[in-house]
Amino acid sequence: MPMPLFSSHSPTVSRLRRHGFSGATVRALRRAVRLALRPWTKPRTHGFAFHYDRVLGTSFELQLVAKHAEAAHRAEHVVLAEVDRLEKSLSGWADTSELSCWQQTRGVEAPVSPELAEVLELGEDWRIWTAGAFNPAAVSFGDLLHVSDVSDRLDAMRQPLWTVDRERGVACRLTLLPVSLDALAKGYIVDRVAACACAVEGVTQVLVNIGGDLRHLGDRAISASVTDPRAPAENAAPIATVRLCDEALATSGGYRRGHMVAGRAVSHILDPRTGRPAAEVISASVIAPDCATADALSTAFSVLTPAESVALADSLRGVGCMMVEQDGTITTNDTWLAHAAT
């Protein structure tokens, strides 16, 4: 093993002393070398984890790699503040949220925050891109689950819901139907808070998990598991494990949040094209570059056929999908398989 360059007994130090350099000069040279080498020395980092319940109505997990505890706790504070701020804007359950207040308008260009404008625009875009399989107005069918004829609302579902002008900061609500951004807003919030945490000085890796919607930021891949929708217990072995690196993962399905209708369990996810609960696919998982995309597509893939979902996923950059059907059939695309942990 080579002797360290500036150990007290190294040949280099002996030669320096022979040529009349003092001990103080040698120590100064040692410090200079350490400083010169510092940019090539990887700083020590530590892992931190924070857990909360009842954040956006579900569980919240923040995992960080940071240079010191102060940076980690600062990131925790920033993230919780950002969640609260965005919830006040995007919540579909709070009567005082910006979204709820905006829903009281119709046919007028009302001022909206940049965040609400962006999510509204994404909601309308995904309605178009999925040919109606994703639709924020699907919630309007909720009170018709016990009714056999829902055709009176289907025409309204096919019409534009709103227009958005993000440059002017206004949005005009066109539909009379109630809407919910929940199938998109949670993923959007996950993206935003992960970015806030990663922007904190001293934080190098971030993983945000809100109710199963994940966003990873960093250059070290992490493993994420997908719950088996047919397993009787939540702590059962996962149905799949994937590797994520600077990516997102979201799963939708009615296997734990269904309703009882006419004595049988049905999914809480409604097909906006028919008004009926999703029946064929019981779980849809999506890997995407961001969590808002994964969130919206996992909802759409719960109502599309697996073949339709694969075709749409393959048309989008970096999107992997896995659909589990009632009979246990699993369908994936190549991007999903490329992320599978071996």
Side-chain angles (χ1 to χ4, degrees), residues 8-19:
S8 59
H9 301 291
S10 70
T12 303
V13 170
S14 298
R15 285 195 296 271
L16 288 171
R17 286 174 174 164
R18 265 200 317 269
H19 289 286

Side-chain angles (χ1 to χ4, degrees), residues 79 189-199 206-208 215-217:
V79 160
I189 292 174
V190 168
D191 286 327
R192 290 295 296 265
V193 301
C196 286
C198 204
V206 174
L207 176 66
V208 174
R215 180 69 164 99
H216 173 257
L217 291 176

Side-chain angles (χ1 to χ4, degrees), residues 219-238:
D219 57 5
R220 302 181 196 170
I222 57 102
S223 295
S225 297
V226 178
T227 299
D228 186 345
R230 305 177 75 223
E234 291 190 11
N235 60 353

